[in-house]
Amino acid sequence: ISREQAGIEATAAAAETRRAAEDQVRASQAPIEKNQAAAARLASQVATLQQQWQLQKQLVDQGIKAPKDLLSLEQQMDSLKSSREGLLAENVQLRARSASTAAGNKVNLASVNSTTEVTSSEGGRVVEVIKSTGDKVNEGEPLIRIERTAADASEFCGGEVHALVYV
């Protein structure tokens, strides 16, 4: 693969990774919006029950209704409030997870497009280039093979290939 083609493929892969990350963030928005709509409906139902409770309270104060009739409305309101609070708490968790995913995707995208200068503590002649500019490499992969210069080589390894440079 030519360096130019490798660069094009790396750019395409980075764009695909970016699209997948954006799709994942958009997908996490759907349950958040659904929960917000459900929480709004529950708030509306609570408001309606509060109005009914006030009317029932007036009837209880006038002696027309028994106080136990208010208890049922209070229990319904408490149940709806609890459900609404649960949905809102779930939204907080979903938003935190979405933010964490987005941050992780940014880190992954940065690592896909990162370039690092590599140096070697070994001197000598490069006898093989294993990876070249634009190639994607992972930690631990060899990049080049080095043969030590004649003066140093005989001292350590009899002139054989002496070092591999790793990421």
Side-chain angles (χ1 to χ4, degrees):
I1 297 178
S2 71
R3 289 182 186 172
E4 183 177 314
Q5 186 178 2
I8 292 169
E9 289 177 5
T11 302
E16 180 61 31
T17 302
R18 190 176 297 109
R19 277 192 294 277
E22 290 168 355
D23 289 346
Q24 192 173 12
V25 169
R26 273 193 296 278
S28 68
Q29 285 300 110
I32 291 172
E33 291 170 3
K34 180 181 173 185
N35 284 353
Q36 285 175 329
R41 283 192 303 274
L42 290 172
S44 175
Q45 290 174 354
V46 168
T48 301
L49 286 175
Q50 286 174 335
Q51 289 173 350
Q52 289 177 359
W53 184 86
Q54 289 173 351
L55 293 173
Q56 293 294 324
K57 174 77 168 124
Q58 289 174 357
L59 294 175
V60 168
D61 290 344
Q62 294 172 1
I64 299 173
K65 286 268 189 173
K68 67 178 182 175
D69 294 335
L70 292 177
L71 183 61
S72 172
L73 288 173
E74 290 169 354
Q75 288 172 340
Q76 289 175 0
M77 284 189 296
D78 288 344
S79 175
L80 291 173
K81 286 177 185 178
S82 176
S83 295
R84 182 175 181 274
E85 289 170 6
L87 288 172
L88 295 175
E90 184 178 339
N91 270 2
V92 168
Q93 290 176 343
L94 289 171
R95 282 190 182 104
R97 196 174 314 138
S98 178
S100 174
T101 300
N105 288 337
K106 285 179 185 176
V107 168
N108 289 340
L109 287 174
S111 66
V112 166
N113 295 323
S114 66
T115 302
T116 303
E117 183 176 326
V118 177
T119 60
S120 173
S121 60
E122 299 292 330
R125 181 174 68 95
V126 175
V127 293
E128 181 183 2
V129 175
I130 300 169
K131 298 285 184 174
S132 54
T133 304
D135 289 348
K136 182 178 178 184
V137 295
N138 295 313
E139 187 174 345
E141 288 186 62
L143 302 177
I144 60 174
R145 293 185 196 280
I146 298 175
E147 182 179 62
R148 295 192 65 134
T149 58
D152 294 333
S154 60
E155 179 181 334
F156 292 104
C157 56
E160 298 292 319
V161 173
H162 177 72
L164 285 173
V165 176
Y166 289 92
V167 176

